[in-house]
Amino acid sequence: MPVRVAICAPATPITREDAARVQALAADYPGVALEFHDQCYAVAGHFAGPDEQRLAAFVECANDPGFDAVWFARGGYGSNRIASAALARLGPAAGRKTFLGYSDCGYLLGGLYRAGIGRPVHAPMPMDLRRAGGEEAVRRVLAWLGGDRSGEEPSLDGRHPVVAFNLTTLAMLCGTPLMPGLAGHVVMVEEVSEYLYAVDRLFFHASAHLGGIAGLRLGRVSDVPENDRPFGAGPEEIARFWCERHGLPYLGRADIGHDAANRIVPFGLAGN
Amino acid sequence: MPVRVAICAPATPITREDAARVQALAADYPGVALEFHDQCYAVAGHFAGPDEQRLAAFVECANDPGFDAVWFARGGYGSNRIASAALARLGPAAGRKTFLGYSDCGYLLGGLYRAGIGRPVHAPMPMDLRRAGGEEAVRRVLAWLGGDRSGEEPSLDGRHPVVAFNLTTLAMLCGTPLMPGLAGHVVMVEEVSEYLYAVDRLFFHASAHLGGIAGLRLGRVSDVPENDRPFGAGPEEIARFWCERHGLPYLGRADIGHDAANRIVPFGLAGN
């Protein structure tokens, strides 16, 4: 019996062509069966359909006992708008599921983790297939779903619970009803397409909310736009600065980011 | 005896030419005497000098009993890095001062307001002289410092205390040791140069922290970059959406923004 995976789009849409390419790759993984919800292709302004449609599709996938996992098709922006309402509607079948995604979908992963519902997992998404080398990212998830743990982030030690977030997503989660308690956790963050001054600003905010974590690991900070003048410090210097300011242990780099090499981080304790 | 105003740059620098142009305008206001601190022209990467230099200049201006007001030269980014340390060093003379600025300098205004130190005022800054029509903005502040209240934001009613912030600045303040309690306040926000999806995201975050406010007023949301697809809602629709989500009264527009028309908002109760 294969692992049955429902795919929906809580933020922005993909195309039927994207889905077909992922299905073609999945043919190499007979232990995994993917089912794309039609909502993945809906379009309403910025989003993959209006809030109500995205909410309904996610809740349908999560509550369906016929699926073992829910894989988010794509980030972009929008899962925060439906996350609280979604959590309130989840039933027992959702609690037995794995939920996979990253970037904007971190709002849902964070909220699920806070609520103790199922297993949230930072992982590449179907949309990553559009990246250079993206096939590798999608195969990493398909293999993981089939039981191959080699795609997991290498620092996971099974001693500290971990989470992984896009830095903007984590900053926006802080203090909201979706924010999980992260005391004792190793917190991994990555960022993309933000000026370094904005990265510094996000660290100012997020680090003020992370008291009691076991430590912070910095993923890749990629596609930094050129500003009108140099910031004067690199991403790791920025991370160290704010960790020091708030007494958070800085633990080094994490092998995550908005790229094909993005590794898998199951929230909580590895091996559980 | 004129109102004596010290000018420093807690975030990014201005030039001596900027300062000379502001001084030339100030000659029309004999009731106001400006003194630019040399730190305004310092440059270290993104900032107007290293943190220590910006901190020292601000503390020197604020604690000097020879000045009645401290006017921030320019926003940009960086006042958050020195705000907590600055507050801890302020003495009695700072408590008798007016502090003026906006945008990134909202971190200082917010922290001062929380600490009950002096009178924080959302107001145009010397750097606004570089804008089209910016002379009007700078004159508005010079007149206000001389006692002319006509440049104040017109909705101030003397019944509700008010604050005004750049939306990003307010969002980053939330939950930090600089965030003032805003229960009972009218909160005005404005934004510049952000995609509408980012404005929506900032409202998601900030509105979750604004329970108990008297209401929200939306200033201008200007220079919105063109995205690869339309967001599907305008700034006011976004503000209304998140106010409704969190049960915050939406009170209409505010006459503030990153532009020459930006009006003055003394924090707290008007007339006090």
Side-chain angles (χ1 to χ4, degrees), chain B residues 4 19 37 49 63 82 100-101 104 120 133 136 155 164 181-182 203 205 208 210 246-247 256 261:
Chain B
R4 298 149 304 174
H37 194 292
N63 284 342
I82 64 167
L100 304 101
D104 183 80
E136 177 202 348
S155 72
L182 296 179
F203 264 111
H205 183 65
L210 293 179
H246 290 283
I256 62 170

PDB file of all heavy atoms in Angstrom, chain B residues 4 19 37 49 63 82 100-101 104 120 133 136 155 164 181-182 203 205 208 210 246-247 256 261:
ATOM      1  N   ARG B   4      15.173  75.575  20.720  1.00  0.00           N
ATOM      2  CA  ARG B   4      16.476  75.072  20.288  1.00  0.00           C
ATOM      3  C   ARG B   4      16.364  73.592  19.937  1.00  0.00           C
ATOM      4  O   ARG B   4      15.974  72.774  20.778  1.00  0.00           O
ATOM      5  CB  ARG B   4      17.495  75.297  21.401  1.00  0.00           C
ATOM      6  CG  ARG B   4      17.691  76.787  21.737  1.00  0.00           C
ATOM      7  CD  ARG B   4      18.050  76.970  23.196  1.00  0.00           C
ATOM      8  NE  ARG B   4      17.041  76.359  24.062  1.00  0.00           N
ATOM      9  CZ  ARG B   4      17.142  76.256  25.373  1.00  0.00           C
ATOM     10  NH1 ARG B   4      18.224  76.704  25.991  1.00  0.00           N
ATOM     11  NH2 ARG B   4      16.175  75.693  26.089  1.00  0.00           N
ATOM     12  N   ALA B  19      21.813  69.690   5.048  1.00  0.00           N
ATOM     13  CA  ALA B  19      21.705  70.482   6.274  1.00  0.00           C
ATOM     14  C   ALA B  19      21.683  71.978   5.965  1.00  0.00           C
ATOM     15  O   ALA B  19      20.885  72.740   6.539  1.00  0.00           O
ATOM     16  CB  ALA B  19      22.866  70.147   7.213  1.00  0.00           C
ATOM     17  N   HIS B  37      24.038  67.979  14.495  1.00  0.00           N
ATOM     18  CA  HIS B  37      25.170  67.251  15.073  1.00  0.00           C
ATOM     19  C   HIS B  37      26.017  66.678  13.933  1.00  0.00           C
ATOM     20  O   HIS B  37      25.462  66.184  12.940  1.00  0.00           O
ATOM     21  CB  HIS B  37      24.630  66.126  15.959  1.00  0.00           C
ATOM     22  CG  HIS B  37      25.656  65.517  16.872  1.00  0.00           C
ATOM     23  ND1 HIS B  37      26.712  64.779  16.420  1.00  0.00           N
ATOM     24  CD2 HIS B  37      25.771  65.547  18.226  1.00  0.00           C
ATOM     25  CE1 HIS B  37      27.439  64.364  17.453  1.00  0.00           C
ATOM     26  NE2 HIS B  37      26.885  64.827  18.560  1.00  0.00           N
ATOM     27  N   GLY B  49      27.190  56.160  10.562  1.00  0.00           N
ATOM     28  CA  GLY B  49      28.155  55.797  11.599  1.00  0.00           C
ATOM     29  C   GLY B  49      27.774  54.485  12.268  1.00  0.00           C
ATOM     30  O   GLY B  49      26.635  54.027  12.165  1.00  0.00           O
ATOM     31  N   ASN B  63      20.087  64.352  26.138  1.00  0.00           N
ATOM     32  CA  ASN B  63      20.405  64.688  27.535  1.00  0.00           C
ATOM     33  C   ASN B  63      20.919  66.113  27.726  1.00  0.00           C
ATOM     34  O   ASN B  63      21.145  66.543  28.858  1.00  0.00           O
ATOM     35  CB  ASN B  63      21.442  63.701  28.094  1.00  0.00           C
ATOM     36  CG  ASN B  63      20.824  62.352  28.441  1.00  0.00           C
ATOM     37  OD1 ASN B  63      19.607  62.239  28.585  1.00  0.00           O
ATOM     38  ND2 ASN B  63      21.672  61.329  28.569  1.00  0.00           N
ATOM     39  N   ILE B  82      19.760  50.824  18.120  1.00  0.00           N
ATOM     40  CA  ILE B  82      20.294  51.596  19.250  1.00  0.00           C
ATOM     41  C   ILE B  82      19.218  52.014  20.249  1.00  0.00           C
ATOM     42  O   ILE B  82      19.526  52.582  21.297  1.00  0.00           O
ATOM     43  CB  ILE B  82      21.028  52.866  18.767  1.00  0.00           C
ATOM     44  CG1 ILE B  82      20.047  53.830  18.069  1.00  0.00           C
ATOM     45  CG2 ILE B  82      22.182  52.509  17.830  1.00  0.00           C
ATOM     46  CD1 ILE B  82      20.620  55.217  17.837  1.00  0.00           C
ATOM     47  N   LEU B 100      11.138  64.371  17.264  1.00  0.00           N
ATOM     48  CA  LEU B 100      10.387  64.393  15.997  1.00  0.00           C
ATOM     49  C   LEU B 100      11.034  63.559  14.898  1.00  0.00           C
ATOM     50  O   LEU B 100      12.252  63.642  14.674  1.00  0.00           O
ATOM     51  CB  LEU B 100      10.267  65.829  15.484  1.00  0.00           C
ATOM     52  CG  LEU B 100       9.657  66.853  16.419  1.00  0.00           C
ATOM     53  CD1 LEU B 100      10.772  67.691  17.053  1.00  0.00           C
ATOM     54  CD2 LEU B 100       8.686  67.764  15.683  1.00  0.00           C
ATOM     55  N   GLY B 101      10.197  62.806  14.198  1.00  0.00           N
ATOM     56  CA  GLY B 101      10.651  62.024  13.061  1.00  0.00           C
ATOM     57  C   GLY B 101       9.569  61.046  12.650  1.00  0.00           C
ATOM     58  O   GLY B 101       8.451  61.089  13.166  1.00  0.00           O
ATOM     59  N   ASP B 104      11.590  54.863   9.819  1.00  0.00           N
ATOM     60  CA  ASP B 104      12.432  54.023  10.675  1.00  0.00           C
ATOM     61  C   ASP B 104      12.618  54.620  12.070  1.00  0.00           C
ATOM     62  O   ASP B 104      12.848  53.890  13.035  1.00  0.00           O
ATOM     63  CB  ASP B 104      13.796  53.825  10.020  1.00  0.00           C
ATOM     64  CG  ASP B 104      14.690  52.915  10.820  1.00  0.00           C
ATOM     65  OD1 ASP B 104      14.506  51.682  10.720  1.00  0.00           O
ATOM     66  OD2 ASP B 104      15.548  53.418  11.559  1.00  0.00           O
ATOM     67  N   PRO B 120       7.060  62.215  21.983  1.00  0.00           N
ATOM     68  CA  PRO B 120       7.367  61.745  20.632  1.00  0.00           C
ATOM     69  C   PRO B 120       6.346  62.314  19.642  1.00  0.00           C
ATOM     70  O   PRO B 120       5.150  62.365  19.939  1.00  0.00           O
ATOM     71  CB  PRO B 120       7.228  60.228  20.735  1.00  0.00           C
ATOM     72  CG  PRO B 120       7.054  59.929  22.206  1.00  0.00           C
ATOM     73  CD  PRO B 120       6.500  61.165  22.840  1.00  0.00           C
ATOM     74  N   GLY B 133       8.382  68.828  -3.666  1.00  0.00           N
ATOM     75  CA  GLY B 133       7.513  69.548  -2.739  1.00  0.00           C
ATOM     76  C   GLY B 133       7.945  69.444  -1.295  1.00  0.00           C
ATOM     77  O   GLY B 133       7.216  69.823  -0.373  1.00  0.00           O
ATOM     78  N   GLU B 136       7.797  72.201   1.613  1.00  0.00           N
ATOM     79  CA  GLU B 136       6.538  72.348   2.356  1.00  0.00           C
ATOM     80  C   GLU B 136       6.539  71.466   3.614  1.00  0.00           C
ATOM     81  O   GLU B 136       6.084  71.887   4.690  1.00  0.00           O
ATOM     82  CB  GLU B 136       5.392  71.948   1.407  1.00  0.00           C
ATOM     83  CG  GLU B 136       4.008  71.962   2.000  1.00  0.00           C
ATOM     84  CD  GLU B 136       3.046  71.067   1.189  1.00  0.00           C
ATOM     85  OE1 GLU B 136       3.404  70.625   0.064  1.00  0.00           O
ATOM     86  OE2 GLU B 136       1.948  70.792   1.701  1.00  0.00           O
ATOM     87  N   SER B 155      -7.500  64.708  11.875  1.00  0.00           N
ATOM     88  CA  SER B 155      -8.479  63.913  12.632  1.00  0.00           C
ATOM     89  C   SER B 155      -8.241  63.945  14.140  1.00  0.00           C
ATOM     90  O   SER B 155      -9.059  63.416  14.897  1.00  0.00           O
ATOM     91  CB  SER B 155      -8.484  62.460  12.139  1.00  0.00           C
ATOM     92  OG  SER B 155      -7.302  61.794  12.558  1.00  0.00           O
ATOM     93  N   ALA B 164       1.329  57.349  15.428  1.00  0.00           N
ATOM     94  CA  ALA B 164       1.429  57.173  13.974  1.00  0.00           C
ATOM     95  C   ALA B 164       2.742  56.464  13.675  1.00  0.00           C
ATOM     96  O   ALA B 164       3.789  56.834  14.219  1.00  0.00           O
ATOM     97  CB  ALA B 164       1.362  58.519  13.257  1.00  0.00           C
ATOM     98  N   GLY B 181       2.250  50.194  24.948  1.00  0.00           N
ATOM     99  CA  GLY B 181       0.867  49.733  25.075  1.00  0.00           C
ATOM    100  C   GLY B 181      -0.034  50.706  24.351  1.00  0.00           C
ATOM    101  O   GLY B 181       0.054  51.912  24.567  1.00  0.00           O
ATOM    102  N   LEU B 182      -0.873  50.194  23.458  1.00  0.00           N
ATOM    103  CA  LEU B 182      -1.676  51.087  22.619  1.00  0.00           C
ATOM    104  C   LEU B 182      -3.175  50.965  22.882  1.00  0.00           C
ATOM    105  O   LEU B 182      -4.001  51.465  22.107  1.00  0.00           O
ATOM    106  CB  LEU B 182      -1.366  50.834  21.136  1.00  0.00           C
ATOM    107  CG  LEU B 182       0.078  51.164  20.724  1.00  0.00           C
ATOM    108  CD1 LEU B 182       0.312  50.873  19.249  1.00  0.00           C
ATOM    109  CD2 LEU B 182       0.421  52.624  21.042  1.00  0.00           C
ATOM    110  N   PHE B 203      -0.094  43.677   7.808  1.00  0.00           N
ATOM    111  CA  PHE B 203      -1.352  43.875   8.545  1.00  0.00           C
ATOM    112  C   PHE B 203      -1.736  42.609   9.328  1.00  0.00           C
ATOM    113  O   PHE B 203      -2.237  42.693  10.443  1.00  0.00           O
ATOM    114  CB  PHE B 203      -2.489  44.260   7.595  1.00  0.00           C
ATOM    115  CG  PHE B 203      -2.703  45.742   7.519  1.00  0.00           C
ATOM    116  CD1 PHE B 203      -2.396  46.443   6.373  1.00  0.00           C
ATOM    117  CD2 PHE B 203      -3.211  46.445   8.608  1.00  0.00           C
ATOM    118  CE1 PHE B 203      -2.588  47.817   6.299  1.00  0.00           C
ATOM    119  CE2 PHE B 203      -3.417  47.816   8.543  1.00  0.00           C
ATOM    120  CZ  PHE B 203      -3.096  48.505   7.391  1.00  0.00           C
ATOM    121  N   HIS B 205       0.203  40.584  10.694  1.00  0.00           N
ATOM    122  CA  HIS B 205       1.043  40.535  11.893  1.00  0.00           C
ATOM    123  C   HIS B 205       0.672  41.642  12.882  1.00  0.00           C
ATOM    124  O   HIS B 205       0.397  41.389  14.050  1.00  0.00           O
ATOM    125  CB  HIS B 205       2.507  40.664  11.492  1.00  0.00           C
ATOM    126  CG  HIS B 205       3.460  40.565  12.632  1.00  0.00           C
ATOM    127  ND1 HIS B 205       3.610  39.419  13.374  1.00  0.00           N
ATOM    128  CD2 HIS B 205       4.301  41.468  13.178  1.00  0.00           C
ATOM    129  CE1 HIS B 205       4.506  39.625  14.323  1.00  0.00           C
ATOM    130  NE2 HIS B 205       4.938  40.862  14.224  1.00  0.00           N
ATOM    131  N   ALA B 208      -2.715  41.539  14.746  1.00  0.00           N
ATOM    132  CA  ALA B 208      -2.803  40.524  15.810  1.00  0.00           C
ATOM    133  C   ALA B 208      -2.267  41.052  17.137  1.00  0.00           C
ATOM    134  O   ALA B 208      -2.485  40.445  18.183  1.00  0.00           O
ATOM    135  CB  ALA B 208      -2.031  39.267  15.393  1.00  0.00           C
ATOM    136  N   LEU B 210      -2.781  44.386  18.118  1.00  0.00           N
ATOM    137  CA  LEU B 210      -3.395  45.686  18.386  1.00  0.00           C
ATOM    138  C   LEU B 210      -4.733  45.577  19.114  1.00  0.00           C
ATOM    139  O   LEU B 210      -5.530  46.527  19.112  1.00  0.00           O
ATOM    140  CB  LEU B 210      -3.551  46.476  17.083  1.00  0.00           C
ATOM    141  CG  LEU B 210      -2.239  46.906  16.414  1.00  0.00           C
ATOM    142  CD1 LEU B 210      -2.515  47.653  15.113  1.00  0.00           C
ATOM    143  CD2 LEU B 210      -1.388  47.777  17.351  1.00  0.00           C
ATOM    144  N   HIS B 246      -9.772  41.049  13.375  1.00  0.00           N
ATOM    145  CA  HIS B 246      -9.352  41.149  14.771  1.00  0.00           C
ATOM    146  C   HIS B 246     -10.261  42.048  15.601  1.00  0.00           C
ATOM    147  O   HIS B 246      -9.915  42.403  16.721  1.00  0.00           O
ATOM    148  CB  HIS B 246      -7.895  41.633  14.845  1.00  0.00           C
ATOM    149  CG  HIS B 246      -6.925  40.599  14.371  1.00  0.00           C
ATOM    150  ND1 HIS B 246      -6.564  39.512  15.131  1.00  0.00           N
ATOM    151  CD2 HIS B 246      -6.272  40.477  13.193  1.00  0.00           C
ATOM    152  CE1 HIS B 246      -5.710  38.767  14.442  1.00  0.00           C
ATOM    153  NE2 HIS B 246      -5.509  39.315  13.266  1.00  0.00           N
ATOM    154  N   GLY B 247     -11.410  42.420  15.029  1.00  0.00           N
ATOM    155  CA  GLY B 247     -12.355  43.226  15.798  1.00  0.00           C
ATOM    156  C   GLY B 247     -11.858  44.619  16.146  1.00  0.00           C
ATOM    157  O   GLY B 247     -12.225  45.186  17.180  1.00  0.00           O
ATOM    158  N   ILE B 256      -1.226  61.067   6.477  1.00  0.00           N
ATOM    159  CA  ILE B 256       0.206  60.848   6.691  1.00  0.00           C
ATOM    160  C   ILE B 256       0.731  59.939   5.587  1.00  0.00           C
ATOM    161  O   ILE B 256      -0.039  59.217   4.954  1.00  0.00           O
ATOM    162  CB  ILE B 256       0.517  60.219   8.068  1.00  0.00           C
ATOM    163  CG1 ILE B 256      -0.135  58.830   8.188  1.00  0.00           C
ATOM    164  CG2 ILE B 256       0.064  61.135   9.201  1.00  0.00           C
ATOM    165  CD1 ILE B 256       0.312  58.036   9.404  1.00  0.00           C
ATOM    166  N   ALA B 261       3.163  65.820   1.803  1.00  0.00           N
ATOM    167  CA  ALA B 261       1.935  66.212   2.510  1.00  0.00           C
ATOM    168  C   ALA B 261       1.843  65.613   3.918  1.00  0.00           C
ATOM    169  O   ALA B 261       0.911  65.922   4.660  1.00  0.00           O
ATOM    170  CB  ALA B 261       0.713  65.794   1.693  1.00  0.00           C
TER     171      ALA B 261
END
